[in-house]
């Protein structure tokens, strides 16, 4: 499928990570990470497990604390002040590997809780918006069911709708298809492709290289807490520079 | 057996009322206190959690009957001091002492139930709440509390029934509960069948309590899907 890899509009930097360092106890999991994400850019982060890719995107909405460095989201510098954290989280949506839907709330309520309690939106408006996004992910008919009644693929699509309801400027995907049965991967990826084509700024940790080839503007390869290599997808896949990248691509492609 | 019931209906009614009010009141007061205690206890490693554990250890590790005696006779030793501070009316009455003992006892058990239910909630749901911009307080209110409440229903129902039967111990400090009235009638008539009547009283309360619990549990339909 043909799709322009460079966004035509501004070079407005929406996420800026500089000299980020993080330790889990003695383990140095992120080493001097520098990353700038331009509005509308779609980035795929790949790498072996334990390379720090999930930790990196979890730092962006402060689900993980970091010890050194700076992260700026939409002009707001992250600190551990909870007001700032909540402000940043309003602008950054997150989709988890394990869906993490609220089991005691219906699909519709899952999508409205954040809007009503986090964004202080009116209940009716929140419902309308929730239905709009549930239609977008093709499951409006499940609105009154509970997460436990849905398949994994459906649950992950709800999780995407739940995030979109917050009108985020950036979406983070943390291995969104890794916990799914193979036949459900496509229905989730299709939604993500649609989102990408609408110009959503996305950072996806994923092993779906087909997705990377189709929509990514940039592929980042991480290993042992460092960004080893980054490039646009065609170059990344056809002409990897680093030995570690070549080995990785050989194993997964 | 029937004549014991029909001839002393007012005595049995008083006993029934006292048993129900003792159990229900102590259960509800203990529940209200146990929620913050159980939540605090779930943050293991904090000083507060350790203090609460100390309380739970002492209460669960000693017989309820001992606790009842300590409150009723123990405080009785200080009756002049209690009169001075205006609390004697409370500790003079077996009913209030029994209520206090049952409440303090049930707090310990219910706090552990709350702790277990709160700790069983996966951290990933907190992260999901955080990612849709909920504050810590709102994550507690809209995620932890409703999920924990639903999950602890069966354990709470169990605790209620245990508390009901434990409440019969207060008959030894002159409370006119079901067993207290049965013991009084037995001493009057020397007919063992009064204890069958007493047993039936407890069974009726359990029947109602179980019906209420079933209704409350049925409200959480989502539990069936997990």
């Amino acid at each position: 499928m043909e799709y322009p890899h460079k966004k035509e509009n501004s070079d407005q930097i929406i996420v800026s990570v500089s000299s980020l360092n993080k330790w889990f106890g003695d383990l140095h999991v992120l080493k001097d990470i520098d990353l700038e994400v331009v509005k509308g850019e779609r980035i795929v982060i790949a790498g072996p497990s334990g390379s720090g890719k999930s930790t990196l995107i979890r730092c962006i909405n402060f689900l993980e604390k970091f010890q050194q460095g700076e992260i700026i989201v939409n002009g707001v510098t992250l600190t551990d002040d909870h007001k700032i954290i909540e402000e940043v989280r309003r602008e950054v949506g997150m989709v988890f590997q394990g869906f993490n839907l609220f089991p005691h709330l219906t699909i519709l309520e899952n999508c409205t809780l954040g809007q009503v309690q986090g964004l202080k939106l009116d209940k009716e408006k929140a419902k309308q918006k929730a239905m709009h996004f549930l239609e977008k992910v093709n499951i409006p008919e499940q609105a009154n069911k509970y997460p436990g009644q849905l398949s994994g693929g459906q649950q992950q699509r709800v999780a995407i709708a739940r995030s979109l309801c917050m009108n985020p400027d950036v979406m983070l995907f943390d291995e969104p298809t890794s916990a799914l049965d193979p036949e459900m991967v496509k229905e989730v990826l299709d939604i993500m492709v649609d989102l990408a084509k609408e110009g959503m700024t996305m950072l996806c940790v994923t092993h779906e290289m087909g997705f990377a080839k189709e929509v990514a503007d940039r592929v980042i390869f991480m290993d042992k807490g460092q960004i080893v290599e980054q490039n646009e997808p065609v170059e990344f896949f056809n002409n990897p520079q680093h030995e570690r990248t070549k080995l990785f691509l050989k194993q997964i492609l | 057996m029937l004549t014991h019931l029909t001839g002393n209906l007012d005595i049995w009614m008083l006993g029934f009322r006292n048993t129900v009010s003792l159990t229900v009141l102590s259960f509800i007061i203990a529940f209200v206190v146990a929620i913050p205690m159980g939540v605090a206890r779930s943050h293991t490693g904090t000083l507060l959690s350790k203090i609460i554990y100390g309380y739970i250890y002492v209460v669960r590790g000693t017989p309820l009957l001992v606790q009842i005696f300590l409150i009723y006779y123990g405080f009785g030793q200080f009756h002049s001091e209690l009169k001075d501070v205006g609390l004697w009316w409370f500790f003079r009455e077996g009913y209030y002492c029994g209520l206090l003992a049952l409440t303090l006892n049930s707090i310990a058990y219910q706090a552990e139930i709350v702790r277990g239910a709160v700790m069983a909630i996966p951290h990933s749901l907190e992260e999901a709440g955080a990612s849709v911009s909920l504050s810590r307080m709102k994550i507690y209110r809209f995620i932890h509390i409703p999920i924990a409440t639903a999950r602890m229903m069966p354990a709470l129902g169990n605790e209620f029934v245990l508390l009901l039967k434990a409440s019969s111990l207060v008959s030894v400090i002159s409370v006119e509960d079901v067993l207290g009235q049965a013991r009084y009638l037995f001493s009057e008539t020397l007919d063992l069948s009064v204890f069958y009547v007493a047993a039936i009283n407890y069974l009726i309360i359990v029947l109602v309590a179980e019906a209420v619990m079933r209704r409350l549990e049925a409200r959480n339909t989502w539990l069936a899907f997990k």
Side-chain angles (χ1 to χ4, degrees):
Chain A
M1 186 176 292
E2 274 301 307
Y3 193 73
H5 279 302
K6 284 277 169 281
K7 295 293 292 181
E8 67 282 19
N9 64 356
S10 68
D11 283 354
Q12 190 195 342
I13 290 166
I14 199 156
V15 177
S16 158
V17 176
S18 44
S19 317
L20 184 70
N21 276 283
K22 177 177 170 62
W23 287 264
F24 282 125
D26 287 337
L27 197 63
H28 198 174
V29 287
L30 292 176
K31 298 171 189 162
D32 288 317
I33 302 284
D34 290 298
L35 174 67
E36 282 191 338
V37 183
V38 174
K39 195 168 172 46
E41 198 176 12
R42 294 154 300 235
I43 295 178
V44 163
I45 304 173
S49 64
S51 60
K53 51 198 192 309
S54 285
T55 310
L56 170 60
I57 68 164
R58 286 162 58 82
C59 283
I60 294 174
N61 67 349
F62 214 70
L63 289 181
E64 298 286 353
K65 286 185 179 154
F66 48 91
Q67 285 82 12
Q68 281 174 18
E70 191 177 56
I71 297 180
I72 304 171
V73 179
N74 232 357
V76 180
T77 307
L78 260 176
T79 64
D80 53 11
D81 175 14
H82 65 95
K83 282 252 174 341
I84 300 252
I85 295 171
E86 278 162 38
E87 189 182 336
V88 166
R89 283 174 181 165
R90 272 197 289 276
E91 296 169 8
V92 180
M94 178 121 192
V95 175
F96 301 88
Q97 182 177 358
F99 330 135
N100 301 5
L101 295 180
F102 310 125
H104 61 302
L105 300 179
T106 63
I107 299 309
L108 187 65
E109 289 165 341
N110 262 277
C111 294
T112 56
L113 180 63
Q115 297 187 66
V116 175
Q117 297 302 332
L119 301 181
K120 312 265 185 280
L121 274 187
D122 166 76
K123 266 191 183 157
E124 273 310 307
K125 272 210 184 106
K127 268 188 194 172
Q128 283 172 14
K129 207 154 112 195
M131 285 313 295
H132 168 76
F133 284 112
L134 286 174
E135 269 160 37
K136 197 175 156 120
V137 300
N138 305 323
I139 31 178
E141 73 281 0
Q142 312 282 6
N144 292 315
K145 288 194 179 165
Y146 287 96
Q149 292 169 284
L150 270 55
S151 72
Q154 289 173 320
Q155 288 193 52
Q156 193 61 297
R157 284 187 280 147
V158 173
I160 293 173
R162 176 175 72 178
S163 275
L164 291 175
C165 282
M166 305 294 290
N167 286 341
D169 290 324
V170 186
M171 286 283 283
L172 307 176
F173 291 85
D174 187 2
E175 304 204 26
T177 57
S178 306
L180 294 174
D181 289 338
E183 75 265 33
M184 292 171 184
V185 170
K186 190 174 177 298
E187 66 187 54
V188 171
L189 284 180
D190 284 348
I191 301 290
M192 290 171 61
V193 170
D194 287 348
L195 258 183
K197 292 183 177 175
E198 285 166 20
M200 175 63 79
T201 312
M202 297 164 78
L203 275 93
C204 310
V205 172
T206 182
H207 294 121
E208 295 295 333
M209 291 302 129
F211 174 77
K213 281 176 186 159
E214 187 178 350
V215 302
D217 298 309
R218 181 161 36 136
V219 182
I220 293 177
F221 177 72
M222 285 182 73
D223 187 36
K224 299 199 175 85
Q226 283 170 313
I227 294 180
V228 174
E229 182 167 350
Q230 48 183 319
N231 216 331
E232 56 144 326
V234 178
E235 274 295 297
F236 180 86
F237 289 109
N238 296 341
N239 191 16
Q241 302 297 311
H242 204 279
E243 277 309 315
R244 189 66 190 83
T245 318
K246 288 176 189 164
L247 185 68
F248 179 77
L249 287 176
K250 211 159 91 187
Q251 276 162 350
I252 64 163
L253 289 180
Chain B
M1 189 167 143
L2 266 181
T3 51
H4 290 303
L5 189 62
T6 50
N8 302 299
L9 204 56
D10 51 340
I11 290 180
W12 286 114
M13 282 306 287
L14 179 64
F16 188 85
R17 265 211 309 278
N18 279 335
T19 287
V20 170
S21 68
L22 265 176
T23 312
V24 171
L25 275 178
S26 55
F27 183 81
I28 291 172
I29 298 168
F31 180 64
V32 172
V33 180
I35 287 182
M37 275 180 74
V39 170
R41 169 98 177 87
S42 71
H43 296 280
T44 46
T46 60
L47 181 63
L48 190 58
S49 171
K50 284 177 181 146
I51 293 170
I52 293 169
Y53 177 67
Y55 172 80
I56 292 169
Y57 175 72
V58 170
V59 171
R60 290 200 306 187
T62 53
L64 176 57
L65 188 58
V66 172
Q67 294 161 15
I68 290 171
F69 282 160
L70 281 176
I71 289 171
Y72 187 61
Y73 297 119
F75 280 99
Q77 290 186 320
F78 302 100
H79 69 274
S80 52
E81 286 87 344
L82 288 168
K83 264 179 198 159
D84 289 343
V85 293
L87 285 172
W88 182 238
W89 64 271
F90 186 92
F91 289 100
R92 190 182 59 193
E93 286 293 329
Y95 180 90
Y96 293 132
C97 288
L99 182 63
L100 181 62
L102 290 172
T103 305
L104 291 177
N105 188 270
S106 197
I107 284 172
Y109 287 95
Q110 292 193 49
E112 281 296 87
I113 293 172
V114 171
R115 176 187 76 104
V118 168
M119 289 183 84
I121 294 172
H123 183 58
S124 57
L125 287 183
E126 285 168 43
E127 293 186 343
S131 79
V132 290
S133 197
L134 299 183
S135 64
R136 282 179 71 121
M137 282 309 291
K138 287 194 166 165
I139 290 174
Y140 246 102
R141 187 168 143 211
F142 293 105
I143 299 170
H144 284 89
I145 290 186
I147 295 178
T149 312
R151 293 234 174 98
M152 64 195 176
M153 280 297 172
L156 283 179
N158 204 26
E159 167 62 12
F160 182 86
V161 171
L162 288 172
L163 188 65
L164 167 70
K165 292 180 293 182
S167 76
S168 63
L169 287 173
V170 299
S171 64
V172 299
I173 54 167
S174 78
V175 178
E176 295 170 314
D177 73 327
V178 170
L179 187 64
Q181 302 298 64
R183 286 172 58 190
Y184 165 73
L185 288 173
F186 178 69
S187 69
E188 295 280 295
T189 61
L190 295 178
D191 183 348
L192 272 171
S193 61
V194 294
F195 291 115
Y196 291 111
V197 179
I200 289 166
N201 271 281
Y202 288 105
L203 287 171
I204 291 168
I205 302 170
V206 171
L207 201 68
V208 174
E210 284 186 345
V212 171
M213 290 310 289
R214 259 199 304 277
R215 286 218 157 176
L216 289 177
E217 282 177 40
R219 285 167 41 166
N220 296 306
T221 45
W222 63 272
L223 276 175
F225 307 122
K226 267 284 164 181

